[in-house]
Amino acid sequence: GGIITQTPKFLIGQEGQKLTLKCQQNFNHDTMYWYRQDSGKGLRLIYYSITENDLQKGDLSEGYDASREKKSSFSLTVTSAQKNEMAVFLCASSIDSSAETLYFGSGTRLTVL
Amino acid sequence: GEQVEQLPSILRVQEGSSASINCSYEDSASNYFPWYKQEPGENPKLIIDIRSNMERKQIQELIVLLDKKAKRFSLHITDTQPGDSAMYFCAANLDTNAYKVIFGKGTHLHVLP
């Protein structure tokens, strides 16, 4: 079995700061995703990547950048953290198509002071 | 459209009874409808899914129904147990070529002893 590792587990930043979240998977999956989870709003898609070096915007991409330099890793950058922002960012991967199981990491919990 | 609506947001049922969660989608090209369960402090995990070539699927106490004409799908948990208490998310892929998986806002199921 494989695993998705997100680092860090907890991230505390200052308003306006640029923050980077990392995700690694050893499933050898082609497709990777970044979702943001807020209470009462479910999981909202920020970016996804169909394969290495590919990037596709989700519904919540404004304020974020992403990078897929290797098949196994997908990073997300908050370009300017918003004060009082709190959310969990979930990374996921799926094998190679649009109709397959998503495997999620444990999440990065972001707090902006 | 790119929305997946999910109701109810909170569901309380008595142990042993059934629980039903309903979702609707807008994109008639959607062909894959998974359901994820998220327990407190855990990441979401796939529990059952249905593809557009099926109308009904059952895995043990979980039943999913798909009405493509109405663009609705639902999860039914029969004989609920305390371990079924969790957040449940429905999802749909929105375009068979774009790998976008969009989630509903979630249903918080409480199974009361």
Side-chain angles (χ1 to χ4, degrees), chain A residues 11-113:
Chain A
L11 182 57
I12 299 175
Q14 301 290 329
E15 184 181 14
Q17 193 176 359
K18 187 175 177 180
L19 302 166
T20 299
L21 292 67
K22 294 186 181 296
C23 178
Q24 296 266 351
Q25 53 98 358
N26 63 0
F27 289 103
N28 199 34
H29 284 170
D30 283 329
T31 309
M32 295 186 75
Y33 301 81
W34 276 106
Y35 287 91
R36 173 178 166 139
Q37 184 171 21
D38 296 89
S39 178
K41 295 183 180 176
L43 282 73
R44 292 183 289 173
L45 183 62
I46 306 172
Y47 267 97
Y48 63 106
S49 168
I50 296 170
T51 189
E52 185 178 334
N53 292 319
D54 175 74
L55 285 178
Q56 306 284 339
K57 290 184 178 181
D59 298 323
L60 206 66
S61 60
E62 188 171 339
Y64 301 94
D65 287 327
S67 174
R68 182 91 184 274
E69 292 167 353
K70 292 192 300 183
K71 185 175 182 179
S72 61
S73 66
F74 192 30
S75 61
L76 181 72
T77 298
V78 181
T79 55
S80 179
Q82 301 299 304
K83 189 172 176 64
N84 298 322
E85 182 174 5
M86 282 185 66
V88 175
F89 291 83
L90 289 167
C91 175
S93 71
S94 69
I95 188 164
D96 62 2
S97 80
S98 60
E100 297 294 339
T101 305
L102 264 61
Y103 294 88
F104 284 88
S106 298
T108 293
R109 185 173 293 274
L110 171 67
T111 303
V112 181
L113 304 176

Side-chain angles (χ1 to χ4, degrees), chain B residues 11-15 19 37-40 77 80-88 107-113:
Chain B
L11 179 59
R12 293 185 178 87
V13 300
Q14 213 64 40
E15 182 178 352
K37 177 182 180 182
Q38 185 178 29
E39 300 190 69
I77 306 173
T80 52
Q81 300 299 311
D84 293 324
S85 295
M87 281 292 290
Y88 291 82
T107 295
H108 200 164
L109 174 64
H110 301 268
V111 179
L112 308 171

Side-chain angles (χ1 to χ4, degrees), chain B residues 1 3 9 17 25 28-29 40 43-44 46 71 75 102 107 109:
Chain B
Q3 296 294 323
S9 55
S17 66
Y25 60 99
S28 56
N43 50 358
L46 181 78
K71 290 190 276 188
L75 172 69
I102 302 298
T107 295
L109 174 64

Side-chain angles (χ1 to χ4, degrees), chain B residues 30-91:
Chain B
S30 298
N31 67 352
Y32 177 61
F33 308 91
W35 288 87
Y36 288 81
K37 177 182 180 182
Q38 185 178 29
E39 300 190 69
E42 300 288 325
N43 50 358
K45 293 180 176 63
L46 181 78
I47 53 173
I48 191 168
D49 57 16
I50 191 166
R51 299 177 195 270
S52 57
N53 60 351
M54 300 176 71
E55 294 180 348
R56 183 183 191 278
K57 183 174 179 179
Q58 181 166 1
I59 298 177
Q60 297 180 329
E61 79 280 5
L62 303 176
I63 300 170
V64 288
L65 302 174
L66 173 62
D67 183 342
K68 286 179 290 183
K69 196 172 180 181
K71 290 190 276 188
R72 291 182 188 158
F73 58 114
S74 56
L75 172 69
H76 306 271
I77 306 173
T78 60
D79 188 25
T80 52
Q81 300 299 311
D84 293 324
S85 295
M87 281 292 290
Y88 291 82
F89 294 97
C90 65

